[in-house]
């Protein structure tokens, strides 16, 4: 379900006030740039260091002593030994890019991303593709709005935009939403639909987990405000491991797929088969990890009653 459809379903018409619409992702780690050009390799550092050593040795040695260049070619030079013995070339060991490229099968978002889309080119081109196809600038629209007259701050993740993956912009938009809700004393709703952290932004995407969690700590613990997390299918990876499971009340849609690690990865790591349906909303609810399973057609009324129960009333009632 797209974010625009969820807005129509859950929010009072004409009350959507979008926030941070001008924020978009660049290519912060130059994902598509070759590894050897991305940063100086050890070979480059070695060559520059040997040149410095050679120049200093020429200054220290008498002019009549043979230099390294005058040695017979059949003798191994000191320049060759450190590189061949102590350092294996980049082809011998997997780079960070190789590790990230091996992860698309881990989560539903990356699987759908590579199988169903045509943008196999650079990361920037893929972002342009999703912006044109979805009409969104990033994977999470954020806004202040009203729900049956009750003012709320809300973020709705859209799985159709790069699998709802959490990059640096997604993390920043959600953090700003939480901080705005903290300052304005608004109840907070985040609708989660994501395959996890965005691999094309490396560790920068993982940092968003801590940043959002820190903002939520201030919102929930210091200001005593109400955060409702709504988990839809799928909610996995770093989103599950951070704000997805930090709600004061956690609501889930029926039969939603929830996980931290995907089924195939678990099976490959443990060499054991994961039972079908073991990562469903109903199993999580049975184990006590969720508070309620609510269908889409009942969600708006359920949230309205929930907020009223916790002392959040509509502006109309407050004015009267």
């Amino acid at each position: 379900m797209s974010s625009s459809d969820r807005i129509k379903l859950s929010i009072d018409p004409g009350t959507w006030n979008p926030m941070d619409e001008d924020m978009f992702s660049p290519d912060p780690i130059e994902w598509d740039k070759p590894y050897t050009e991305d940063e100086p390799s050890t070979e480059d550092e070695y060559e520059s260091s040997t040149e410095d050593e050679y120049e200093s040795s020429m200054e220290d040695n008498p002019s009549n002593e043979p230099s390294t260049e005058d040695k017979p070619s059949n003798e191994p030079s000191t320049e060759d030994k450190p590189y061949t013995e102590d350092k294996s070339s980049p082809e011998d060991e997997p780079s960070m890019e190789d590790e990230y490229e091996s992860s698309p099968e881990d989560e539903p978002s990356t699987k759908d991303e590579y199988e169903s889309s045509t943008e196999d080119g650079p990361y920037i081109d893929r972002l342009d593709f999703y912006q044109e196809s979805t009409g969104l600038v990033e994977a999470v629209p954020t806004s202040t709005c009203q729900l049956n007259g009750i003012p709320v701050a809300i973020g709705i993740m859209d799985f159709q935009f790069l699998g709802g993956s959490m990059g640096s912009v997604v993390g920043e938009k959600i953090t700003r939403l939480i901080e705005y809700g903290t300052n304005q004393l608004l109840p907070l709703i985040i609708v989660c639909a994501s395959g996890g952290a965005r691999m094309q932004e490396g560790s920068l995407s993982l940092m968003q987990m801590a940043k959002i969690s820190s903002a939520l700590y201030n919102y929930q613990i210091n200001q005593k405000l109400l955060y409702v997390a709504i988990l839809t299918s799928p909610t996995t990876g770093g989103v599950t491991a951070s704000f997805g499971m930090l709600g004061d009340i956690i609501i889930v849609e029926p039969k939603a797929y929830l996980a931290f690690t995907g089924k195939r990865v678990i099976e490959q790591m443990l060499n054991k088969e994961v039972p079908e349906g073991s990562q469903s909303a109903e199993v999580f609810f049975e184990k006590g990890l969720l508070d309620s399973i609510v269908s889409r057609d009942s969600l708006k009324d359920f949230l309205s009653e929930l907020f009223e129960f916790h002392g959040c009333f509509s502006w109309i009632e407050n004015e009267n």
Side-chain angles (χ1 to χ4, degrees):
M1 191 176 190
S2 67
S3 57
S4 59
D5 290 337
R6 291 192 183 277
I7 291 170
K8 295 175 183 177
L9 181 69
S10 306
I11 304 304
D12 295 348
T15 64
W16 180 265
N17 299 308
M19 302 170 59
D20 302 311
E21 286 187 296
D22 58 342
M23 296 180 66
F24 60 92
S25 294
D27 189 3
I29 65 170
E30 297 181 325
W31 169 256
D32 303 290
K33 200 171 183 180
Y35 174 76
T36 53
E37 298 180 15
D38 203 9
E39 57 185 26
S41 65
T42 309
E43 182 177 359
D44 297 332
E45 296 174 358
Y46 169 74
E47 289 178 355
S48 62
S49 64
T50 51
E51 289 177 1
D52 295 337
E53 292 175 359
Y54 174 75
E55 291 177 0
S56 61
S57 64
M58 288 296 294
E59 294 175 358
D60 297 337
N61 292 337
S63 58
N64 58 349
E65 291 186 7
S67 65
T68 307
E69 295 180 350
D70 298 330
K71 291 183 179 181
S73 58
N74 59 349
E75 293 184 10
S77 68
T78 54
E79 285 187 9
D80 296 333
K81 282 187 177 181
Y83 177 72
T84 55
E85 293 182 0
D86 299 340
K87 160 87 172 52
S88 58
S89 62
E91 290 80 9
D92 297 335
E93 299 179 357
S95 65
M96 284 297 292
E97 182 173 353
D98 296 330
E99 294 178 8
Y100 278 111
E101 286 181 340
S102 65
S103 66
E105 295 182 358
D106 297 356
E107 299 169 353
S109 68
T110 50
K111 178 177 182 293
D112 292 344
E113 170 192 341
Y114 283 96
E115 289 184 357
S116 63
S117 64
T118 57
E119 65 288 11
D120 293 327
Y123 175 47
I124 292 295
D125 293 345
R126 280 176 270 179
L127 290 174
D128 292 340
F129 172 85
Y130 281 114
Q131 288 170 356
E132 293 176 3
S133 61
T134 64
L136 301 174
V137 179
E138 254 297 343
V140 58
T142 57
S143 171
T144 57
C145 57
Q146 294 182 35
L147 190 152
N148 285 339
I150 300 173
V152 298
I154 188 169
I156 302 177
M157 305 191 77
D158 197 319
F159 191 78
Q160 297 178 13
F161 191 104
L162 204 62
S165 52
M166 181 176 62
S168 54
V169 170
V170 169
E172 180 66 18
K173 290 188 69 173
I174 293 177
T175 301
R176 292 188 182 190
L177 176 72
I178 297 169
E179 291 174 345
Y180 184 85
T182 303
N183 295 332
Q184 299 299 317
L185 304 180
L186 295 175
L188 173 68
I189 301 172
I190 300 180
V191 181
C192 303
S194 177
R198 186 173 298 178
M199 64 178 183
Q200 290 90 349
E201 296 188 18
S203 60
L204 294 178
S205 62
L206 299 178
M207 291 167 59
Q208 309 309 312
M209 298 168 61
K211 182 170 72 175
I212 296 172
S213 299
S214 177
L216 278 174
Y217 181 88
N218 183 45
Y219 178 89
Q220 295 171 286
I221 305 302
N222 296 336
Q223 299 299 325
K224 310 297 183 184
L225 297 171
L226 179 63
Y227 164 44
V228 178
I230 302 175
L231 311 185
T232 68
S233 187
T235 300
T236 64
V239 172
T240 303
S242 56
F243 61 91
M245 301 300 289
L246 290 178
D248 296 300
I249 297 175
I250 304 175
I251 300 171
V252 64
E253 289 188 339
K255 300 181 180 180
Y257 176 81
L258 310 177
F260 173 65
T261 305
K263 180 176 182 290
R264 281 176 289 178
V265 175
I266 296 174
E267 291 177 340
Q268 291 171 2
M269 292 293 293
L270 302 181
N271 198 24
K272 293 182 180 180
E273 184 177 354
V274 177
E276 286 294 332
S278 61
Q279 296 176 307
S280 66
E282 287 71 18
V283 173
F284 275 57
F285 179 74
E286 181 183 345
K287 299 298 182 182
L289 296 175
L290 309 171
D291 295 301
S292 185
I293 300 177
V294 182
S295 60
R296 293 174 181 173
D297 57 352
S298 305
L299 183 59
K300 186 174 182 179
D301 291 336
F302 182 91
L303 290 171
S304 179
E305 292 180 7
L306 183 65
F307 289 139
E308 290 177 0
F309 179 79
H310 284 83
C312 306
F313 300 102
S314 70
W315 279 336
I316 298 175
E317 291 177 357
N318 290 337
E319 290 174 357
N320 294 335

